Amino acid sequence: QTLGSGKFRTITFMFFTLVMLFRMRREYQILHAHLAFGPAYVATMLGRLLGKRVIVKLGGSGSIGDVHTSRRTWRGRLRLAAIRRWADIVIVLTDVMRDEALSAGILREHIRIFNNGIDAAAYKFDTAKEQAKHQLQLDGKTLLLFVGRLDPVKSLSTILDALAISLDFSPALHFIIVGDGPDRIRLETQAKTLGIGNVVEFAGNQKDVRRYLQAADMFVLPSITEGISNALLEAMAAGVACLATPVGGNLEVLAQGKYGVLVPVEDVHAWAKAFTEIGNDPALRAKLGQLARERIFNQYDFNVVGAQYEALYTELL
């Protein structure tokens, strides 16, 4: 339950959550909070008060990550202090996040690296790629796909500039952008200005992106900074060749480029070269897609990650 908006909404959320969890105190033994914000503060305070075990999972790294964001305000620094003193386990997703947690004073023995999980089986399709393209009226096209929020940090303008170059060498390329956000109007204008509006499709928000993943030949994630992207995990599970910048969680998920192609941040010509080479090589796309799929089923499937969490809960109890 919450009231009001802004900071008052956060305060009321914390208050009502504290009351509810206090009333339910005999029904649980572990408090598991996601992100180092309000929920983590509630979990650590109640853990201290009630003698419960506490897990806090951090969600991101870099300038938009939990640690850096928390350090900017006194409230955030207070939350970090509570996590540092009272959390039994702090879960991070990458080596970078682990280093940030260490820099915040969290003890190394309290930090565990876990993967995000997805239902990998949901992205294993029976429909052939060409049939999926036909359903989207994209027969004969080589489909580039982006799924996510249209925000400047995603650097989609780099992809549009690169696409304008690579179309001269790989004319079958077609780019679908699934998602919405503050950068949409600027990106639509850029596509028209570059003269590629006919091969760039803004699909908006979609409840189910699987039909696009079925048809996609390449998935692109050109972010300037990134955590562990669920969109990237889903594209890999679907067996799509993935191209991403070597930032944040992308490095971990793609294992330094073993399971996908790493392209420098905002390097238009590097992206254009990658689109041309991979766009003109179906065998290479198939190989990259198979490697990506195996990576997800072996490391990021819910069954694998769930077993790791069960083992952690058992250990704490």
Side-chain angles (χ1 to χ4, degrees), residues 2-66:
T2 59
L3 297 173
S5 61
K7 292 184 177 65
F8 184 71
R9 181 183 178 88
T10 301
I11 292 170
T12 59
F13 163 78
M14 292 173 60
F15 173 77
F16 288 120
T17 302
L18 277 167
V19 171
M20 179 192 69
L21 289 173
F22 184 80
R23 288 174 176 172
M24 297 172 59
R25 62 189 180 277
R26 294 182 179 86
E27 301 179 29
Y28 61 88
Q29 297 177 4
I30 297 175
L31 289 158
H32 187 154
H34 183 67
L35 305 181
F37 303 115
Y41 202 19
V42 171
T44 50
M45 286 192 296
L46 271 179
R48 176 69 171 175
L49 177 65
L50 302 176
K52 306 294 186 181
R53 310 308 297 269
V54 176
I55 300 171
V56 176
K57 179 187 176 188
L58 306 187
S61 60
S63 60
I64 61 173
D66 301 51

Side-chain angles (χ1 to χ4, degrees), residues 212-260:
Y212 295 100
L213 290 169
Q214 278 183 288
D217 294 291
M218 290 179 274
F219 177 85
V220 299
L221 188 62
S223 311
I224 296 170
T225 181
E226 191 65 66
I228 298 289
S229 166
N230 268 26
L232 176 59
L233 298 180
E234 290 167 1
M236 293 173 70
V240 181
C242 293
L243 294 75
T245 45
V247 299
N250 297 348
L251 284 166
E252 302 284 335
V253 174
L254 296 178
Q256 313 297 320
K258 183 178 179 181
Y259 298 99

Side-chain angles (χ1 to χ4, degrees), residues 103-220:
S103 74
I106 297 169
L107 297 178
R108 186 177 295 273
E109 55 265 32
H110 291 175
I111 300 172
R112 304 286 178 88
I113 297 181
F114 276 38
N115 292 324
N116 274 350
I118 64 168
D119 181 8
Y123 299 92
K124 194 171 184 178
F125 307 122
D126 296 325
T127 304
K129 193 173 291 293
E130 293 309 316
Q131 183 180 345
K133 288 182 183 180
H134 178 71
Q135 292 171 354
L136 294 174
Q137 299 182 341
L138 293 173
D139 298 272
K141 297 295 184 181
T142 302
L143 178 57
L144 298 174
L145 179 67
F146 169 84
V147 178
R149 179 170 166 78
L150 308 192
D151 187 278
V153 75
K154 298 298 184 181
S155 193
L156 286 170
S157 58
T158 300
I159 300 303
L160 295 180
D161 285 337
L163 180 60
I165 296 171
S166 56
L167 279 167
D168 289 336
F169 307 97
S170 187
L173 290 171
H174 188 91
F175 186 27
I176 293 183
I177 299 173
V178 176
D180 212 337
D183 217 21
R184 177 166 178 167
I185 294 176
R186 186 178 71 85
L187 292 169
E188 290 176 333
T189 301
Q190 181 184 355
K192 292 177 182 177
T193 301
L194 289 169
I196 60 173
N198 61 319
V199 298
V200 179
E201 178 182 342
F202 290 83
N205 290 325
Q206 299 287 327
K207 291 183 178 179
D208 189 351
V209 301
R210 288 180 294 178
R211 67 189 186 113
Y212 295 100
L213 290 169
Q214 278 183 288
D217 294 291
M218 290 179 274
F219 177 85
V220 299

